[in-house]
Amino acid sequence: MHSIHPRAFYRQTLYRRTMLLMTLAMTLLLSGCGFHLKHSDGLVDKFPEIYLQTNNPKGDLTRLVKLRLRGANIKILTEPSPDVAVLRLKSESQSERTISLYATAQNAEKEIGYVMKYSLKMPNFTAKDFDVNLYRDFLYDSSQALAKSREQELLIKELQGVAADHIISTMLSIKNQTAE
């Protein structure tokens, strides 16, 4: 049989105690500075239920917003209620402009703009309006028009995802200041 040398046993015990103390100290430091794990951000506490109003219920933006709300464990109501917040997706629009040209006067670089307007009405407070303005640029090659149009579609979807994330972050930070 093998026996553990007393010094080796002492080192292992000391190492375990040190690691335990360091873990405890890090936990206390992180909890003391306001650090929270993801999904414990208080969104569901602020908005346990919400009514989502939109002109395009089957649209990509609506789908992405619903996905994020459900991911935060917020119940999406099918009918409005006076004691439930209302998130209204008002409008979204896209724009495109040329940023630079080749020597042959063909588009070299384009910018895609995405603008989305929404409002959030908390119970017993006036609705607050918000705008999201996002822009992305990309290189444009007319010889690869099909690939570039697909890239443009993907950029729009990415911008819609960023806009949906913006709505969630706004919901987290909103404070009502004016009652109706």
Side-chain angles (χ1 to χ4, degrees):
M1 284 186 122
H2 293 182
S3 63
I4 298 177
H5 193 274
R7 276 191 189 157
F9 179 75
Y10 176 73
R11 283 186 199 144
Q12 282 182 339
T13 304
L14 184 62
Y15 176 76
R16 286 183 185 146
R17 286 183 182 169
T18 305
M19 291 306 291
L20 179 65
L21 284 174
M22 288 181 66
T23 304
L24 182 62
M26 290 302 290
T27 303
L28 288 173
L29 275 171
L30 286 176
S31 64
C33 74
F35 174 80
H36 297 286
L37 293 174
K38 190 172 183 177
H39 300 299
S40 63
D41 50 20
L43 186 61
V44 74
D45 297 332
K46 272 186 172 180
F47 301 96
E49 299 177 327
I50 196 163
Y51 175 69
L52 181 62
Q53 182 181 11
T54 177
N55 295 333
N56 189 2
K58 303 277 187 200
D60 287 335
L61 179 64
T62 304
R63 182 183 54 79
L64 290 168
V65 170
K66 283 182 178 180
L67 186 69
R68 280 155 177 80
L69 291 172
R70 287 185 187 126
N73 294 323
I74 296 173
K75 183 179 178 187
I76 302 170
L77 301 179
T78 55
E79 295 291 325
S81 174
D83 59 337
V84 173
V86 176
L87 174 61
R88 183 172 176 230
L89 304 179
K90 293 182 174 183
S91 67
E92 60 179 325
S93 62
Q94 303 163 16
S95 63
E96 184 179 308
R97 72 181 184 115
T98 301
I99 296 177
S100 63
L101 299 171
Y102 290 116
T104 59
Q106 291 182 339
N107 290 335
E109 191 176 10
K110 285 187 172 184
E111 179 183 73
I112 295 176
Y114 180 78
V115 177
M116 192 251 312
K117 297 176 186 279
Y118 66 99
S119 67
L120 186 60
K121 184 186 181 311
M122 303 280 283
N124 302 320
F125 291 94
T126 58
K128 292 187 176 186
D129 295 324
F130 300 95
D131 296 343
V132 178
N133 299 304
L134 302 168
Y135 300 94
R136 296 288 188 273
D137 57 311
F138 68 103
L139 297 175
Y140 187 81
D141 185 359
S142 60
S143 66
Q144 298 175 349
L146 187 59
K148 291 302 176 178
S149 67
R150 179 67 181 143
E151 181 180 355
Q152 188 172 348
E153 289 173 20
L154 291 173
L155 280 173
I156 293 294
K157 288 188 186 294
E158 176 189 331
L159 293 175
Q160 287 174 329
V162 171
D165 291 339
H166 181 79
I167 291 172
I168 299 300
S169 66
T170 300
M171 289 172 65
L172 271 170
S173 64
I174 193 166
K175 290 186 172 91
N176 290 302
Q177 297 166 347
T178 54
E180 289 183 308

